Amino acid sequence: MAKKQKRTSRTKKKKNDNILRNILIVLTIVASFIVLFLGGYYFGYHKGKNDMKKKVEKKEKERVKAIDKLEKVLKENQPHHIQQHSTQKKDKKYDITAAHEIEDKKALQPLPRKQHPKHQKKVPKLAIIFDDVSFAYQVKEIKKLHLKVTMSFFPPTSIHPHTPQLAAKQPFYMIHLPMEAMHFNKEEAFTLHVNDSQAVIDKRIKKIKELFPRVRYINNHTGSKFTANKQAVERLITVLDKNGIQFIDSRTTSKTKVKEIMQEHHHHYMARDVFLDHKGDLLSIKKQIVLAVKIAKKYGAAIAIGHPHPNTIKALQQSKNLLKGVKLVYVYQLY
């Protein structure tokens, strides 16, 4: 009887040992799978992250090379004289309305603000900026107005390579810097994008300052995506500060972050109040001129943006009586 009980006890013990061994084997296998899974995830994640970083760096190098290439082309093809007239047919795409600049209708609403102390009890000032200035014939038509207006020139590209020479002949000028838009798909060459690094932006602005040594103000061409991105605007304003250049917000989107960043940098926020020609017909442009004058009288100063289109030029020619209530000034004379 005792031997039988002893045998039974050994059998149970052996059975329990087998169960424990099997459990340990299962746990070992599960643990191995977990380790392999976590290891694969870890290395896969970091490999993907490194690959993405390399792609971004590669893209940045390509953009820097592209800017270098443009500089070389412009230098090699620098003309000894500037063509004084361009055909309307060739430059037809520059005679469209300015509607493509604006991302949302809310951006068209006048900018609410308080009167600046500098403008109290003084003649109201109005600064009119002509954006998209690219060709000699446009400069000639603007100058025929005999009005104190500010021309904002595109940086040079192969399409309009002579803008530095045209700007150099003006008493004052601005640069109309192309920036990434939400939906506009016909962007200028070397448009600033939201993902451009500090180094890329710095290189671009330095080159602009070389080409336009008297530049003191820059405003954005399109740029609804760029100016709505706080990090991108921060990078740009930091670079502009280093180069002694002020930024005027064209307000192509109501989601602009420029005001917020300018306040953080302790700068006065300068922005467009009125677009003159987002509708291209003569009557609409005249109505916008009236609105710009009204805002200038209310706040002591205002900024209006137009483009060198035939109807814009014509509307201003026919509105000189309307402008008598304000003093036309260059933008640097506003504040």
Side-chain angles (χ1 to χ4, degrees), residues 246-259:
Q246 296 187 57
F247 187 73
I248 297 177
D249 189 0
S250 299
R251 288 206 307 127
T252 55
T253 173
S254 60
K255 297 176 182 177
T256 177
K257 302 297 181 186
V258 176
K259 184 176 182 179

Side-chain angles (χ1 to χ4, degrees), residues 144-147 315-325:
K144 279 183 183 178
L145 290 170
H146 300 292
L147 296 173
L316 283 166
Q317 285 173 339
Q318 297 177 359
S319 300
K320 290 184 179 180
N321 287 333
L322 296 174
L323 295 169
K324 286 181 178 178

Side-chain angles (χ1 to χ4, degrees), residues 18-74:
N18 288 336
I19 291 170
L20 286 172
R21 194 180 298 111
N22 291 336
I23 291 172
L24 285 171
I25 291 170
V26 171
L27 288 174
T28 302
I29 292 170
V30 171
S32 298
F33 274 114
I34 291 172
V35 169
L36 288 170
F37 174 78
L38 291 176
Y41 175 80
Y42 177 82
F43 288 111
Y45 170 77
H46 282 277
K47 186 178 182 302
K49 192 175 180 181
N50 288 332
D51 288 345
M52 182 61 70
K53 186 179 179 182
K54 286 178 182 178
K55 284 181 181 178
V56 171
E57 289 175 350
K58 185 180 178 183
K59 188 176 180 182
E60 183 175 313
K61 286 178 181 178
E62 287 173 354
R63 285 178 62 73
V64 170
K65 284 181 181 178
I67 292 172
D68 289 338
K69 186 178 178 181
L70 171 67
E71 294 169 5
K72 188 178 179 181
V73 170
L74 290 173

